PDB file of all heavy atoms in Angstrom:
ATOM      1  N   GLY A 192     -63.388-101.863  59.836  1.00  0.00           N
ATOM      2  CA  GLY A 192     -64.290-100.857  60.385  1.00  0.00           C
ATOM      3  C   GLY A 192     -65.704-100.978  59.848  1.00  0.00           C
ATOM      4  O   GLY A 192     -66.470-100.016  59.854  1.00  0.00           O
ATOM      5  N   MET A 193     -66.070-102.197  59.382  1.00  0.00           N
ATOM      6  CA  MET A 193     -67.428-102.390  58.853  1.00  0.00           C
ATOM      7  C   MET A 193     -68.335-103.062  59.890  1.00  0.00           C
ATOM      8  O   MET A 193     -69.426-103.520  59.552  1.00  0.00           O
ATOM      9  CB  MET A 193     -67.390-103.240  57.579  1.00  0.00           C
ATOM     10  CG  MET A 193     -66.557-102.624  56.460  1.00  0.00           C
ATOM     11  SD  MET A 193     -66.760-103.473  54.885  1.00  0.00           S
ATOM     12  CE  MET A 193     -65.986-105.051  55.251  1.00  0.00           C
ATOM     13  N   GLY A 194     -67.853-103.154  61.133  1.00  0.00           N
ATOM     14  CA  GLY A 194     -68.640-103.815  62.175  1.00  0.00           C
ATOM     15  C   GLY A 194     -68.163-105.231  62.427  1.00  0.00           C
ATOM     16  O   GLY A 194     -68.766-105.971  63.212  1.00  0.00           O
ATOM     17  N   GLU A 195     -67.074-105.617  61.786  1.00  0.00           N
ATOM     18  CA  GLU A 195     -66.502-106.953  61.986  1.00  0.00           C
ATOM     19  C   GLU A 195     -65.744-107.015  63.327  1.00  0.00           C
ATOM     20  O   GLU A 195     -65.399-105.975  63.878  1.00  0.00           O
ATOM     21  CB  GLU A 195     -65.556-107.313  60.817  1.00  0.00           C
ATOM     22  CG  GLU A 195     -64.209-106.607  60.785  1.00  0.00           C
ATOM     23  CD  GLU A 195     -64.259-105.129  60.394  1.00  0.00           C
ATOM     24  OE1 GLU A 195     -65.265-104.684  59.823  1.00  0.00           O
ATOM     25  OE2 GLU A 195     -63.270-104.415  60.699  1.00  0.00           O
ATOM     26  N   THR A 196     -65.495-108.227  63.807  1.00  0.00           N
ATOM     27  CA  THR A 196     -64.747-108.401  65.059  1.00  0.00           C
ATOM     28  C   THR A 196     -63.258-108.544  64.739  1.00  0.00           C
ATOM     29  O   THR A 196     -62.876-108.731  63.573  1.00  0.00           O
ATOM     30  CB  THR A 196     -65.201-109.682  65.779  1.00  0.00           C
ATOM     31  OG1 THR A 196     -64.914-110.779  64.887  1.00  0.00           O
ATOM     32  CG2 THR A 196     -66.693-109.662  66.093  1.00  0.00           C
ATOM     33  N   ASN A 197     -62.446-108.510  65.798  1.00  0.00           N
ATOM     34  CA  ASN A 197     -61.015-108.764  65.575  1.00  0.00           C
ATOM     35  C   ASN A 197     -60.815-110.164  64.996  1.00  0.00           C
ATOM     36  O   ASN A 197     -59.933-110.367  64.156  1.00  0.00           O
ATOM     37  CB  ASN A 197     -60.223-108.597  66.874  1.00  0.00           C
ATOM     38  CG  ASN A 197     -59.896-107.130  67.135  1.00  0.00           C
ATOM     39  OD1 ASN A 197     -59.868-106.322  66.209  1.00  0.00           O
ATOM     40  ND2 ASN A 197     -59.658-106.784  68.386  1.00  0.00           N
ATOM     41  N   ASP A 198     -61.621-111.143  65.414  1.00  0.00           N
ATOM     42  CA  ASP A 198     -61.502-112.487  64.837  1.00  0.00           C
ATOM     43  C   ASP A 198     -61.733-112.452  63.318  1.00  0.00           C
ATOM     44  O   ASP A 198     -61.056-113.147  62.564  1.00  0.00           O
ATOM     45  CB  ASP A 198     -62.501-113.463  65.487  1.00  0.00           C
ATOM     46  CG  ASP A 198     -61.944-114.034  66.788  1.00  0.00           C
ATOM     47  OD1 ASP A 198     -60.810-113.655  67.170  1.00  0.00           O
ATOM     48  OD2 ASP A 198     -62.647-114.842  67.435  1.00  0.00           O
ATOM     49  N   ASP A 199     -62.701-111.643  62.883  1.00  0.00           N
ATOM     50  CA  ASP A 199     -62.936-111.512  61.435  1.00  0.00           C
ATOM     51  C   ASP A 199     -61.704-110.931  60.750  1.00  0.00           C
ATOM     52  O   ASP A 199     -61.317-111.359  59.660  1.00  0.00           O
ATOM     53  CB  ASP A 199     -64.136-110.599  61.152  1.00  0.00           C
ATOM     54  CG  ASP A 199     -65.464-111.261  61.488  1.00  0.00           C
ATOM     55  OD1 ASP A 199     -65.655-112.419  61.084  1.00  0.00           O
ATOM     56  OD2 ASP A 199     -66.289-110.623  62.165  1.00  0.00           O
ATOM     57  N   ARG A 200     -61.119-109.923  61.389  1.00  0.00           N
ATOM     58  CA  ARG A 200     -59.919-109.281  60.786  1.00  0.00           C
ATOM     59  C   ARG A 200     -58.797-110.306  60.664  1.00  0.00           C
ATOM     60  O   ARG A 200     -58.110-110.383  59.636  1.00  0.00           O
ATOM     61  CB  ARG A 200     -59.469-108.095  61.651  1.00  0.00           C
ATOM     62  CG  ARG A 200     -60.486-106.984  61.629  1.00  0.00           C
ATOM     63  CD  ARG A 200     -60.327-105.962  62.726  1.00  0.00           C
ATOM     64  NE  ARG A 200     -61.520-105.108  62.729  1.00  0.00           N
ATOM     65  CZ  ARG A 200     -62.040-104.511  63.789  1.00  0.00           C
ATOM     66  NH1 ARG A 200     -61.463-104.620  64.978  1.00  0.00           N
ATOM     67  NH2 ARG A 200     -63.131-103.784  63.685  1.00  0.00           N
ATOM     68  N   ILE A 201     -58.626-111.101  61.732  1.00  0.00           N
ATOM     69  CA  ILE A 201     -57.557-112.105  61.733  1.00  0.00           C
ATOM     70  C   ILE A 201     -57.865-113.175  60.672  1.00  0.00           C
ATOM     71  O   ILE A 201     -56.993-113.572  59.901  1.00  0.00           O
ATOM     72  CB  ILE A 201     -57.427-112.727  63.148  1.00  0.00           C
ATOM     73  CG1 ILE A 201     -57.021-111.629  64.147  1.00  0.00           C
ATOM     74  CG2 ILE A 201     -56.438-113.879  63.159  1.00  0.00           C
ATOM     75  CD1 ILE A 201     -57.205-112.015  65.607  1.00  0.00           C
ATOM     76  N   ASN A 202     -59.117-113.606  60.623  1.00  0.00           N
ATOM     77  CA  ASN A 202     -59.529-114.610  59.628  1.00  0.00           C
ATOM     78  C   ASN A 202     -59.320-114.128  58.206  1.00  0.00           C
ATOM     79  O   ASN A 202     -58.943-114.912  57.328  1.00  0.00           O
ATOM     80  CB  ASN A 202     -61.023-114.910  59.788  1.00  0.00           C
ATOM     81  CG  ASN A 202     -61.244-116.132  60.624  1.00  0.00           C
ATOM     82  OD1 ASN A 202     -60.474-117.081  60.546  1.00  0.00           O
ATOM     83  ND2 ASN A 202     -62.300-116.127  61.431  1.00  0.00           N
ATOM     84  N   MET A 203     -59.589-112.851  57.978  1.00  0.00           N
ATOM     85  CA  MET A 203     -59.370-112.298  56.635  1.00  0.00           C
ATOM     86  C   MET A 203     -57.891-112.413  56.269  1.00  0.00           C
ATOM     87  O   MET A 203     -57.540-112.867  55.170  1.00  0.00           O
ATOM     88  CB  MET A 203     -59.801-110.822  56.581  1.00  0.00           C
ATOM     89  CG  MET A 203     -59.430-110.149  55.278  1.00  0.00           C
ATOM     90  SD  MET A 203     -59.989-108.448  55.191  1.00  0.00           S
ATOM     91  CE  MET A 203     -58.580-107.594  55.885  1.00  0.00           C
ATOM     92  N   LEU A 204     -57.013-112.037  57.212  1.00  0.00           N
ATOM     93  CA  LEU A 204     -55.572-112.081  56.910  1.00  0.00           C
ATOM     94  C   LEU A 204     -55.080-113.512  56.754  1.00  0.00           C
ATOM     95  O   LEU A 204     -54.229-113.791  55.899  1.00  0.00           O
ATOM     96  CB  LEU A 204     -54.780-111.357  58.006  1.00  0.00           C
ATOM     97  CG  LEU A 204     -55.015-109.844  58.102  1.00  0.00           C
ATOM     98  CD1 LEU A 204     -54.144-109.235  59.190  1.00  0.00           C
ATOM     99  CD2 LEU A 204     -54.742-109.147  56.769  1.00  0.00           C
ATOM    100  N   VAL A 205     -55.611-114.431  57.559  1.00  0.00           N
ATOM    101  CA  VAL A 205     -55.216-115.842  57.421  1.00  0.00           C
ATOM    102  C   VAL A 205     -55.666-116.361  56.043  1.00  0.00           C
ATOM    103  O   VAL A 205     -54.919-117.075  55.372  1.00  0.00           O
ATOM    104  CB  VAL A 205     -55.783-116.692  58.586  1.00  0.00           C
ATOM    105  CG1 VAL A 205     -55.654-118.181  58.310  1.00  0.00           C
ATOM    106  CG2 VAL A 205     -55.072-116.326  59.892  1.00  0.00           C
ATOM    107  N   SER A 206     -56.855-115.963  55.599  1.00  0.00           N
ATOM    108  CA  SER A 206     -57.326-116.382  54.260  1.00  0.00           C
ATOM    109  C   SER A 206     -56.372-115.885  53.186  1.00  0.00           C
ATOM    110  O   SER A 206     -56.047-116.609  52.242  1.00  0.00           O
ATOM    111  CB  SER A 206     -58.718-115.820  53.950  1.00  0.00           C
ATOM    112  OG  SER A 206     -59.641-116.216  54.918  1.00  0.00           O
TER     113      SER A 206
END
Side-chain angles (χ1 to χ4, degrees):
M193 300 190 292
E195 74 287 342
T196 61
N197 277 337
D198 276 1
D199 287 313
R200 293 164 191 150
I201 297 165
N202 264 324
M203 172 178 90
L204 294 182
V205 167
S206 303

